[in-house]
Structures are given as C-alpha cells and as structure tokens.
Amino acid sequence: MKFSEIVQKLAIHLPDSPAVSTGEDPEITGVTAVDEATPGNLSYIEGGKFADRIAVTAATALILPMNPQLHQQASDRGIAWIATREPRLLFAHAIALFYQPFRLQAGIHPTATIHPDATLGENVAIGAFVSIAQGVKIANNVCIHANVALYPDVEIGEGTVLHSHCTIHERTRIGKGCTIHAGAVIGSEGFGFVPSRAGWVKMEQSGYTVLEDRVEVGCNSNIDRPAVGETRIGENTKIDNLVQIGHGCKIGKNCVLAAQVGLAGGAKLGNNVILGGQVGVNNQVTVGDGVIASAKTGITSDIPPGAIVSGFPAIPNKQWLKTVVLSNRLPEIYQSLKQLQRLLGPKSN
C-alpha cells in the first residue's frame, strides 16, 4: 500500500496530528528491522542513539522519534517518514497492517467431541480433535485450535483464542480477548500435600483459576488452581513461555512475566510489575505496584512499590550493580590483602 495510506491508518493511534514527510508517496510492501530493510520496506528508529542507521538503511520509509535532526537526515536521503514520541509502539501497529495471525474459520470440525450440555456462542471456531466437556460455556467469536482439551465447568470469554494442545482444567474462568498459546496448562492442580505420620496426604485443589480480560499466556506455561479460593491473573497481563504460577497467586493488571519466571503458592504481584527471565518469588511474598526485577532475581521477602531490584536475595538494583563490580575485582582485592598481610607480618593475623 502507499505510504500515505499507511499514515492515514496509523494516525488513529496518535494523540495529535503526526509530523509526516511522504516524499513521492512510495509503495510499501512490508515491514522489517532497520538493519535488514530492503527497498519497499517500512522500519523504525527508536531514538537518537540509532541515528547512524538512517545513513545506511535501505528502508523506503521510517517511523522516527520527535527529533528534527533525524527528520532532516531521512528527508535528505529521500526516505519517507512519520514521527511519534513512541516509534516502537507505532511500528507494532504498522506490523498489524501487513500481518494477522492464522485464525480458524467459524465452524466445528467433525472430529471435535462436544458434550451436549456445553454451551457455544455465535461464530465459534473449533478445530480438529478438540474435546469440550460437560458444563463448558464458550462465548461468541472464540477460536479453539486443534487438540485443545476443556475440562468440565470451564468458561471462555468472547474473542479468546486457545492454541493447539493447550489444556484448560475444571473451574477455570478465562475472560474476553485472551490468548492461550500452545501447550499451556491453565487451572491444573496446585502442589498441595500435607505431611502426616503415614506420609504425604494429598490436599484436593477445589478452588478456581481466573484470567481477566486480555491476558496472554505463553507456550508451555502453567497456572495452578488452589485448594480453596482462587488464583487470579489481572487484566492485560502478559505471561511468556515456560512460566510457573503456583496455586493461590494473585497477579495485578498490566504485569509482564518473562520466560522461566516462577511464583510459589500465594505470591502476590501488584499492578504494572515487570519480572525478567528466571525471576523467582517465594510463597506468600508481596511485590508492590510498579516493581521491576531484573533477570534471575530471587525475591524472598516483600518488595515495596516502585522498587527496582536484582540479585539473590533481591536487593536494590544500584546496590547490586556496585556489588557486581566489587565481585569481579575479588581476585585483585585478595592479592592486595595477601601483600598487606606479608608487609604487616604474622602478628596481623
């Protein structure tokens, strides 16, 4: 499509009238990274530190930050551009103009097994070998890909997509516009065993698992249901692949959990929390609103709102950075200490 047409479509995502230079209004055939662009591609520049890419990119059009110098550089090279305060965000919307994920057409595959007591809304798509048990309620425009299993008493909200081989256990409530990726397991039994003289006694997990609207769960992640009460994932929270969320956890709105994060039972995250890859959170620990934990952080006690933490156990990020610098110098410090001990003699030991 023409660049001017793209600008028109993207303008709805901008708060103000955009700064634009359409040049000769080139034809745009796709989107790609600025370093990999070829003629006909639209790409983006995140900020001034990437300014040198403008001089070498083969992109025909760019999404730029609000930087007049970058605008001029693009214009001098004959590159069409649109400027915004959040280039990466606008580029995300641009990708959606050229690509939409595969979605099944509405209808029920003949190999699907659906209990007669299940309720299906309008325009529902159900793929091959899907199993839908008693009491399941599926709202309008839900898409269920092949080999998905829905246990009894499951509710799926409008427009939600369940990808192949995910499993939704009993007493699970999934909201509107959610995406559950391949292999994820939602509402499985929490790890509940009580010690007795005869050994471990299983505590049945009779609670509920609730995913609010627009939650996304990555491939092979797991969210457990509790013995009583509920495990709840807040609205618009995004969960990466290979994440474990224990029974009874409460996660707020707009959180992001990267791959291999693990939350022990009863952990609580506030709103807008970001956990980097392989972060671990102890059971019953509370992490406040807006907390950021860098990769491999071990959170063993409550973290106040707004903190940025790193390390194991978690400490303030700035303190951790200083500790890492000193840690890298330990061999040098040790040698200096040995030299000092030799100078002072044996009495100093």
Side-chain angles (χ1 to χ4, degrees), residues 149-172:
L150 303 183
Y151 281 55
D153 192 22
V154 163
E155 296 181 9
I156 308 297
E158 183 174 354
T160 284
V161 177
L162 306 179
H163 284 281
S164 181
H165 291 94
C166 72
T167 303
I168 314 300
H169 283 259
E170 66 263 30
R171 301 191 172 198
T172 294

Side-chain angles (χ1 to χ4, degrees), residues 9-264:
K9 292 178 182 295
L10 293 180
I12 63 173
H13 302 292
L14 297 171
D16 304 309
S17 298
V20 178
S21 174
T22 57
E24 297 180 359
D25 199 14
E27 187 77 19
I28 304 300
T29 57
V31 290
T32 190
V34 67
D35 293 335
E36 301 172 359
T38 57
N41 287 160
L42 168 67
S43 190
Y44 76 104
I45 298 290
E46 184 76 45
K49 66 179 181 179
F50 300 106
D52 59 329
R53 312 285 175 87
I54 297 178
V56 296
T57 185
T60 296
L62 289 171
I63 299 173
L64 298 174
M66 303 298 286
N67 185 321
Q69 183 178 355
L70 300 186
H71 304 168
Q72 189 61 53
Q73 289 179 26
S75 296
D76 290 345
R77 289 205 60 212
I79 298 173
W81 55 268
I82 178 173
T84 173
R85 289 181 175 83
E86 298 179 288
R88 188 164 179 257
L89 178 59
L90 195 62
F91 186 67
H93 292 301
I95 292 175
L97 301 178
F98 291 88
Y99 168 78
Q100 288 295 316
F102 168 71
R103 188 181 177 96
L104 294 173
Q105 292 185 346
I108 300 173
H109 195 278
T111 61
T113 302
I114 302 174
H115 194 280
D117 185 47
T119 302
L120 274 60
E122 298 178 358
N123 200 37
V124 170
I126 299 177
F129 301 104
V130 168
S131 175
I132 298 177
Q134 181 178 3
V136 170
K137 297 179 182 179
I138 298 174
N140 300 337
N141 303 306
V142 169
C143 178
I144 304 177
H145 287 274
N147 296 293
V148 169
L150 303 183
Y151 281 55
D153 192 22
V154 163
E155 296 181 9
I156 308 297
E158 183 174 354
T160 284
V161 177
L162 306 179
H163 284 281
S164 181
H165 291 94
C166 72
T167 303
I168 314 300
H169 283 259
E170 66 263 30
R171 301 191 172 198
T172 294
R173 308 288 185 258
I174 297 179
K176 299 177 182 178
C178 294
T179 302
I180 312 301
H181 286 280
V185 180
I186 311 298
S188 54
E189 291 184 346
F191 192 64
F193 297 90
V194 181
S196 74
R197 293 180 181 178
W200 294 100
V201 175
K202 184 178 181 64
M203 178 180 287
E204 296 296 345
Q205 306 294 290
S206 68
Y208 290 79
T209 305
V210 180
L211 276 59
E212 297 180 3
D213 297 345
R214 303 194 312 282
V215 169
E216 185 153 341
V217 181
C219 297
N220 297 313
S221 288
N222 192 78
I223 302 174
D224 290 345
R225 72 177 185 272
V228 292
E230 65 179 25
T231 301
R232 179 172 289 268
I233 312 299
E235 180 180 353
N236 202 42
T237 282
K238 311 303 180 185
I239 298 169
D240 199 359
N241 302 333
L242 300 169
V243 171
Q244 162 65 27
I245 297 175
H247 55 275
C249 287
K250 305 290 191 297
I251 297 178
K253 299 178 180 180
N254 299 309
C255 295
V256 174
L257 280 62
Q260 299 184 8
V261 161
L263 272 59

